[in-house]
Amino acid sequence: MRSHSPIDGSLLLRLARETLNEHFGLGSYSTPQESYLQEPGATFVTLKMHHVLRGCIGSLEARRSLLNDLRENALAAAFRDPRFPPLTEDELTEVQLEVSLLSPLEPLNIQSEEEALNCICPGQDGLLLECDGRKGTFLPQVWEQLPDPQDFLRHLKMKAGLSPMGWDRDYQLFRYSVSHWSEPS
């Protein structure tokens, strides 16, 4: 995002909700006029039901407008997260949405897990791990479930389909931060 305009998180949540409502024929989404929504942006949309994950899909890099990215990721989280069946209309009123707006990825030049553990900021950093075409990411919110940095990295490696033990010299680690907003539960 290049804009110096403050981002209205409640607007992003409303637009994500309108996108899902429109999918079920329960109204249409509005066409907002805020210029920052036309600038490139990377979002994740998370769905929870009764405080339990129900879907989460997003973009790690800004490749389309913030508005399009938000709407596409809302639909993907609801209907294309391979870990869950598609959201039903009955679930729509029970699902809580969270929108995360990502900063650009920052590559970390590290050679060992020890260096990674000394470099990352628990509770603050989102991480992306890549190796040989495999990748996994955890938003900073995942620190709430995995507060131990070593545990966090091990689970991230497993999410990427890599061994949780050790550190391969071909691993590429990136960090990012997020601004995030949640609907009230």
Side-chain angles (χ1 to χ4, degrees), residues 8 54 58-59 72 88 99 111-112 122-123 135 141 143 149 155 170:
D8 181 354
R54 178 60 178 83
S59 305
E72 287 299 317
T88 66
V99 172
Q111 305 302 315
S112 68
K135 62 177 147 182
Q141 297 90 303
W143 287 104
H155 279 83
D170 292 330

Side-chain angles (χ1 to χ4, degrees), residues 13 44-48 96-100 139 141 180-183:
L13 287 168
F44 266 73
V45 177
T46 303
L47 284 66
K48 292 184 179 177
Q96 176 192 16
L97 301 180
E98 178 177 292
V99 172
S100 298
L139 295 170
Q141 297 90 303
H180 71 280
W181 303 271
S182 298
E183 291 179 329

Side-chain angles (χ1 to χ4, degrees), residues 21-81:
N21 287 342
E22 195 271 339
H23 175 84
F24 286 110
L26 303 172
S28 60
Y29 51 77
S30 58
T31 305
Q33 301 304 312
E34 289 78 356
S35 61
Y36 64 81
L37 292 170
Q38 299 311 315
E39 295 177 18
T43 64
F44 266 73
V45 177
T46 303
L47 284 66
K48 292 184 179 177
M49 284 190 59
H50 311 291
H51 306 286
V52 177
L53 184 65
R54 178 60 178 83
C56 183
I57 299 282
S59 305
L60 291 165
E61 296 181 82
R63 298 181 191 267
R64 54 189 168 193
S65 74
L66 173 58
L67 180 61
N68 288 340
D69 196 70
L70 175 68
R71 287 187 168 152
E72 287 299 317
N73 288 333
L75 292 170
F79 306 110
R80 294 189 298 275
D81 187 327

